[in-house]
Amino acid sequence: ISICRDLPNIEVITFSVNGISDLEPLNQCQNLSELYLRKNNITSLNELFYLKNLPRLRVLWLSENPCCGSDPHRYRMTVLRNLPSLQKLDNQAVTEEELSQALVDGEEITAPPARRSVENGCPESTESSVAESTTETESELLNFSLEETNKIREELGMKPVPRDKFSSFSPRETDCNRKKRNNVLNAILLLMKELDAEGLEIVQQTVGRRLQAFRKKELQEE
């Protein structure tokens, strides 16, 4: 997620199911309009402090993080009090009545969290991690990652990745390696949006050479 510090013009970020706990790298993404963080390890709603100064943020998906707690009303009211420009939270439209109620029931966040994990991703050891305790099957993770990746590709005007092409990302890998690979893929797709035609042609040529090398290696192994 630290790569976001170098992407001030990014508009859509998808980092769901990635063990993320720190949102500080996002506070410079002034053009960010959609942020998907479902099923990570965000433990404190104080992380919203880093999103309060993002003027264009309209869609936030934060559900199934530890910070949501056991009181869904308090959670939603606190998010809306601090991010009143949201139009959709956790795939549910925000109403004017909710925004008014949030001023009463929500908690104002005025400072970043006192303690934050120094790493995002797959730490060597995590105590009482909700992200780890929530077990998902490989198929569920694959379906979600495919959906999120294709959303980014749609934003970039690219064709969706077929499931049979995407499935090669997950077999026989640990959860940590799979998440890291999906992080790299998403980061590459996000960075491509920053490139002009000349830059994209260079990427296309490089990818073509890499694919040829992989195919040649596969044929040799067979």
Side-chain angles (χ1 to χ4, degrees), residues 118-134:
V118 296
E119 293 187 14
N120 282 318
C122 298
E124 294 182 1
S125 62
T126 305
E127 295 181 4
S128 64
S129 168
V130 174
E132 290 182 358
S133 65
T134 304

Side-chain angles (χ1 to χ4, degrees), residues 1-53:
I1 191 173
S2 60
I3 193 175
C4 294
R5 293 191 182 98
D6 300 321
L7 297 172
N9 295 321
I10 198 69
E11 297 178 8
V12 178
I13 293 179
T14 302
F15 280 138
S16 297
V17 197
N18 277 302
I20 291 168
S21 60
D22 183 355
L23 301 185
E24 184 274 334
L26 302 177
N27 67 356
Q28 299 299 318
C29 300
Q30 293 294 297
N31 288 331
L32 186 63
S33 62
E34 298 182 29
L35 178 59
Y36 300 90
L37 294 168
R38 172 178 171 267
K39 286 195 175 182
N40 278 287
N41 195 30
I42 301 168
T43 59
S44 172
L45 283 176
N46 281 29
E47 293 290 340
L48 295 174
F49 178 82
Y50 300 115
L51 307 181
K52 293 182 70 171
N53 294 320

Side-chain angles (χ1 to χ4, degrees), residues 36-129:
Y36 300 90
L37 294 168
R38 172 178 171 267
K39 286 195 175 182
N40 278 287
N41 195 30
I42 301 168
T43 59
S44 172
L45 283 176
N46 281 29
E47 293 290 340
L48 295 174
F49 178 82
Y50 300 115
L51 307 181
K52 293 182 70 171
N53 294 320
L54 302 183
R56 300 186 179 181
L57 186 61
R58 297 293 181 268
V59 177
L60 175 64
W61 198 330
L62 193 60
S63 64
E64 298 175 85
N65 275 276
C67 65
C68 299
S70 58
D71 187 342
H73 176 75
R74 178 184 176 278
Y75 152 71
R76 188 171 177 88
M77 291 296 98
T78 296
V79 174
L80 295 182
R81 176 165 182 172
N82 291 277
L83 303 175
S85 295
L86 287 181
Q87 296 175 354
K88 185 177 286 188
L89 173 60
D90 298 337
N91 208 32
Q92 182 179 340
V94 176
T95 66
E96 290 295 333
E97 291 78 8
E98 283 184 309
L99 292 175
S100 298
Q101 191 64 36
L103 295 175
V104 178
D105 296 346
E107 178 183 345
E108 180 72 17
I109 294 172
T110 59
R115 297 178 183 177
R116 301 194 310 276
S117 172
V118 296
E119 293 187 14
N120 282 318
C122 298
E124 294 182 1
S125 62
T126 305
E127 295 181 4
S128 64
S129 168

Side-chain angles (χ1 to χ4, degrees), residues 109-168:
I109 294 172
T110 59
R115 297 178 183 177
R116 301 194 310 276
S117 172
V118 296
E119 293 187 14
N120 282 318
C122 298
E124 294 182 1
S125 62
T126 305
E127 295 181 4
S128 64
S129 168
V130 174
E132 290 182 358
S133 65
T134 304
T135 304
E136 290 189 302
T137 65
E138 185 173 278
S139 178
E140 288 171 335
L141 280 171
L142 175 60
N143 287 336
F144 190 76
S145 297
L146 178 59
E147 178 184 346
E148 297 281 46
T149 297
N150 280 338
K151 181 175 180 60
I152 296 174
R153 292 176 68 90
E154 181 181 353
E155 291 286 333
L156 295 169
M158 302 167 65
K159 293 182 179 179
V161 179
R163 181 182 172 83
D164 61 339
K165 299 289 186 181
F166 198 84
S167 61
S168 62

Side-chain angles (χ1 to χ4, degrees), residues 177-218:
N177 287 338
R178 177 168 53 247
K179 290 171 184 175
K180 285 182 178 178
R181 180 174 292 184
N182 286 338
N183 275 342
V184 172
L185 175 64
N186 286 335
I188 290 171
L189 292 173
L190 291 169
L191 285 168
M192 285 177 62
K193 196 171 183 179
E194 303 292 316
L195 297 176
D196 57 13
E198 182 179 357
L200 289 172
E201 288 179 0
I202 294 173
V203 171
Q204 183 181 38
Q205 293 170 4
T206 303
V207 170
R209 289 194 293 269
R210 290 279 289 170
L211 284 173
Q212 288 179 359
F214 275 120
R215 288 166 182 162
K216 183 177 181 180
K217 183 179 180 182
E218 289 174 355

